Every structure is written in structure tokens, then in C-alpha cells.
Amino acid sequence: MNVATGLWDHLLDDETRALLAQRPSRPTIGRRPALVAVDLYDLVYDGGPRPVLELMEKYPASCGEYAWQALPGTVALYEAARAHDIPVVHVTYDTRPETNPKPMHPTNRRRRQPDLNLYRLKAELANRPGELVIYKKRASAFFGTPICAFLNEMKIDSLIMVGESTSGCVRSSVVEAASYGFPVTVVADCVFDRYPLNHQVSLLDMHLKYATVVDLASTLAALRSRPALAKAG
Amino acid sequence: MRSFEDYCWRHLLSEEMATIYAAYHRERRVEPRSAVLIVHPADSFTPTIGDWVPAAEHIVAEARTLGLPVLHSILPGELATRRLAPRPSDHVISRHADSAFFFCDLEAALTRLNVDGLIVAGGPTSGALRATAIEAKSYGYHAAIAEEATADEAALLHKMAMFDLAHKYADVMAVDELIALLRHAIAMKVA
């Protein structure tokens, strides 16, 4: 699998090169991976494929052009996963009002209450019947959610992670997944953020400490070359 | 107080980045019912940026004077950072993952101590400190971090982690500012 070095090469200096040199080798995609997609809802695509700077006034949560750039590749990844019996686990925000009567937010961003319908999964990335959706209220997909129980029941041995934001909920989820002992592969082309520097440094950090950050092309090649697995149960 | 962006990441901050992240600007504070949590790095940790121990000692000394709890998260098989050795009245919790909260009794200890704020110090900034501060916020604690009381093995990773923490998850400030806000908050509570 190809590590997405192109995304952080220009940032490397002596210190970060030294850390990369010390990075231990880690397992990536195992026999029974799951694709975990974090927070890919309409809200972060709102306003269309425009610069974040242009959108931020009217669409403060949008990742604009970065979200839309990642979309075709993410669709292709979902297709490859489904074609090879790899479960797709969707993670999104729990918008039930009774679960947040006095608003407490996952981050400190000053916010206007968005139309809660915008937390609907992006249509092209919607869950299909039989696919698991995890509803969360904090940054990590694991915090306060039953995701681990379901991953265990599905006998998942590794995670392929996509979604947003790279430096926020994706990173928190990756850290906790690694803490649980899951080998994690992060598909760099299928994660995005609101600003490139945060995105690139978080990818480098995740690759150094918690996961293997790879490109979409080699992930698709890896999935397509897998033999079909017998279904569990 | 120094302005929101006037901390260690200031030279990373382009105008566009500053504009995009302005929505996170807010008044920073330290909760009066805070505990101090020292995230002790491994013995092999060799920071290239940040000399975290003196500022952490300063914070711990202040906490003891004010009667605030002091907790230590220490990696299994490692010793506490020598100059920040736990006292018998401190709480020592073993750390099994980058977050000090991961599958241990830290959260239970904090609940019993009736704490609603956490002053987090230690390192690596982009590793255990960041993971711990984010999880502190997830658990509903108001997290405060003194920038001098952190350290890392790469300046870029350190500064980016402090930026992300300061905007999304914790109130980041200078150690003098933190101590002043803490004393002020306690004085206001008593008044």
C-alpha cells in the first residue's frame, strides 16, 4: 500500500524526518476489515465546492471544495467495500433534541444552530439497508457509542477510516481505535478538513503514532485483489 | 491577557487560516473547582520543543496552596517525572493508551473529587497531552492548558497540536495567565 507521503513531504524537517525514521511498522488491512466513515453529512458539503473562506459566513461548518474533491473517491471506496463484503459503518451526530436539551458541543466553536436535517448523511454516501449507523455526541466515534460491541460481533480485525474533519473527529476516532488495538488504515484522499495545514499535519501525526495513512488508489487495488470472504455466522 | 492567537503557533497562522478559525475565539477561563492532571511522558521522551517541567511544577505548587487535587497519569512500568513525583495525597493512575482516560479509574476519581475543570500538563503535546485534553472535554470537563507546561519531539507537531487544542477543545494560555485566572475564579467563588 502506498503511504500518502505526498501530502506532508513539503512540511518535513529534521525533527519530523527523525520521527518518521523511528516509526514502527504496523499492520494495515486484515482479513476482516470494516470501513468506518466519520461525519459525512450534508452540513460539511453545504454551499457547494467553493473555497471555505467564501462559504464560512453563510455555511460556517462547511468544508466546501475539500469535501467535494473527496466525494467521488469516497463513493468508489464504498462500492469496492460493498462488492467485497467489507461492512460499511456510518458514524454521524446524534441530533435528537432530547439528547441535548441544554446545548453542549463537541468543540468550542461559536455556532449558530444549523438546520438539523443537514446532519443527514450525504445522499451518495447514505447507509444501505443492513448497514450499521452509529450516532455520537462527541469527537470520537467510540465515545459513548456501542461501536466496539458491533465491531466485535462482526469479528472485525482492522479498520479503514474516512470522513471529516481530519484534525477533529477523524483523528479522535483514529486515536481511540488504535487505543482499542485495531490496526487502522486512513485513506488520505477520503478525509478532509477546513484548512490544508491542519489536514496535512494531522495525517502526518496519525501516520507517525496511530495508523497507516495511504492513498485511495492503492486502497482500491488492495480491496479489489481480495478473495471473496465467506459470510460469518 | 494575550490575544487568542498570540501563542506558540503564531507563525504557522496564515491570514486565511486565522479568518477561518476566528469562530473559535472566546473568553478563556479556568474553573475554580479544577484538578491538575500531569500526563507524565515516557522516560525515553526527548523533547526538542518545550521545557515543560518548571511550568508544571509551578502549577502543581499553586494547586497545593489552593487545596486543589493533583493527579498523575503514568505509563505502566515507568516512573513519574522526577521533579514531579506524586505525594501521598495525590492520585496516581496508570495510563494504557494516549488518553489518560482510556479504561482506567481517572473519570471515577474526578467524579468523586467533585471536579469540573482539568488543568492538563505534560507531553508529548501531539500525543498523550492532546488525546487526554480532548477526552477531558468529551467527558464534560473544562480543560485548561498552560503552553509552557507542554513539550514534544517536533516543533511542527507541537504547535499544530496546541493550535487545534486551543481552538476546539481547551483554553490555552500562558502559565502566568492560568494561575491568575485560577486565583481569580476561586476568589470570585468565595466572594
Side-chain angles (χ1 to χ4, degrees):
Chain A
M1 306 215 39
N2 295 335
V3 174
T5 53
L7 280 163
W8 58 67
D9 264 342
H10 65 290
L11 295 173
L12 294 180
D13 53 18
D14 289 344
E15 291 175 346
T16 41
R17 273 193 209 96
L19 292 175
L20 270 171
Q22 294 162 33
R23 176 190 181 272
S25 158
R26 294 191 183 100
T28 56
I29 299 176
R31 290 191 64 246
R32 296 188 61 86
L35 175 62
V36 177
V38 178
D39 293 348
L40 289 173
Y41 31 70
D42 283 334
L43 186 67
V44 299
Y45 299 89
D46 216 4
R50 302 296 306 157
V52 169
L53 210 54
E54 184 187 303
L55 293 178
M56 52 178 278
E57 187 64 43
K58 200 165 171 228
Y59 309 101
S62 180
C63 296
E65 58 183 335
Y66 306 121
W68 286 88
Q69 265 163 32
L71 185 57
T74 308
V75 170
L77 186 59
Y78 279 37
E79 281 168 9
R82 287 164 175 154
H84 290 82
D85 296 320
I86 291 167
V88 182
V89 176
H90 309 264
V91 183
T92 185
Y93 186 67
D94 184 353
T95 56
R96 291 173 297 170
E98 66 271 25
T99 65
N100 210 13
K102 183 181 160 221
M104 278 173 297
H105 299 293
T107 78
N108 291 323
R109 180 158 51 89
R110 201 171 55 234
R111 55 186 61 213
R112 308 191 298 255
Q113 175 70 327
D115 174 1
L116 293 179
N117 290 317
L118 290 170
Y119 286 102
R120 186 182 42 223
L121 294 176
K122 187 86 180 68
E124 297 91 316
L125 303 175
N127 52 303
R128 295 220 179 130
E131 287 181 345
L132 175 64
V133 182
I134 294 287
Y135 294 89
K136 67 179 175 77
K137 297 209 81 77
R138 293 289 180 265
S140 167
F142 291 79
F143 192 92
T145 77
I147 190 172
C148 259
F150 285 101
L151 295 176
N152 290 338
E153 284 182 353
M154 292 190 284
K155 301 194 192 313
I156 300 304
D157 66 2
S158 51
L159 302 180
I160 302 167
M161 296 193 68
V162 301
E164 61 81 28
S165 62
T166 320
S167 63
C169 296
V170 169
R171 189 194 169 125
S172 288
S173 303
V174 167
V175 172
E176 202 158 5
S179 298
Y180 272 102
F182 286 104
V184 178
T185 301
V186 177
V187 186
D189 310 78
C190 301
V191 297
F192 53 89
D193 210 317
R194 300 180 73 231
Y195 193 74
L197 185 63
N198 306 67
H199 170 73
Q200 290 154 4
V201 178
S202 266
L203 288 174
L204 171 61
D205 235 342
M206 286 189 275
H207 186 69
L208 281 169
K209 297 176 168 71
Y210 308 112
T212 307
V213 177
V214 298
D215 63 24
L216 174 64
S218 56
T219 309
L220 289 173
L223 295 193
R224 287 166 183 160
S225 68
R226 293 166 64 86
L229 284 173
K231 294 218 193 296
Chain B
M1 252 185 112
R2 275 152 56 185
S3 80
F4 197 89
E5 306 288 0
D6 186 20
Y7 296 93
C8 61
W9 60 81
R10 57 179 79 71
H11 299 302
L12 290 181
L13 194 66
S14 68
E15 213 180 293
E16 180 180 346
M17 197 172 160
T19 309
I20 288 169
Y21 282 93
Y24 290 93
H25 288 186
R26 61 198 182 271
E27 223 174 289
R28 288 161 285 159
R29 67 184 197 279
V30 181
E31 287 296 322
R33 281 189 295 125
S34 280
V36 174
L37 174 61
I38 306 295
V39 177
H40 293 260
D43 200 51
S44 57
F45 177 61
T46 25
T48 58
I49 178 165
D51 176 25
W52 71 281
V53 174
E57 286 178 302
H58 189 17
I59 291 167
V60 168
E62 186 70 23
R64 298 201 198 289
T65 304
L66 295 168
L68 301 183
V70 178
L71 301 101
H72 302 262
S73 171
I74 300 174
L75 292 160
E78 299 269 352
L79 297 171
T81 304
R82 205 169 33 84
R83 285 156 57 187
L84 287 160
R87 287 198 188 164
S89 54
D90 294 348
H91 302 256
V92 178
I93 290 150
S94 199
R95 182 164 80 255
H96 307 290
D98 265 14
S99 169
F101 285 88
F102 192 80
F103 281 113
C104 60
D105 58 350
L106 174 58
E107 168 56 9
L110 294 173
T111 300
R112 282 194 208 97
L113 290 166
N114 201 25
V115 150
D116 60 9
L118 214 52
I119 299 165
V120 190
T125 318
S126 60
L129 183 96
R130 180 187 178 138
T132 298
I134 291 175
E135 202 154 24
K137 178 163 179 74
S138 292
Y139 271 106
Y141 296 103
H142 182 85
I145 301 172
E147 78 165 349
E148 300 96 320
T150 61
D152 210 330
E153 292 169 313
L156 173 65
L157 303 182
H158 172 83
K159 291 172 184 177
M160 209 62 239
M162 290 301 286
F163 177 92
D164 285 339
L165 284 168
H167 289 75
K168 296 184 181 180
Y169 305 110
D171 285 359
V172 170
M173 58 198 81
V175 64
D176 293 344
E177 293 172 327
L178 191 148
I179 305 267
L181 282 179
L182 176 60
R183 287 179 183 166
H184 176 77
I186 289 173
M188 293 301 294
K189 196 181 67 155
V190 165

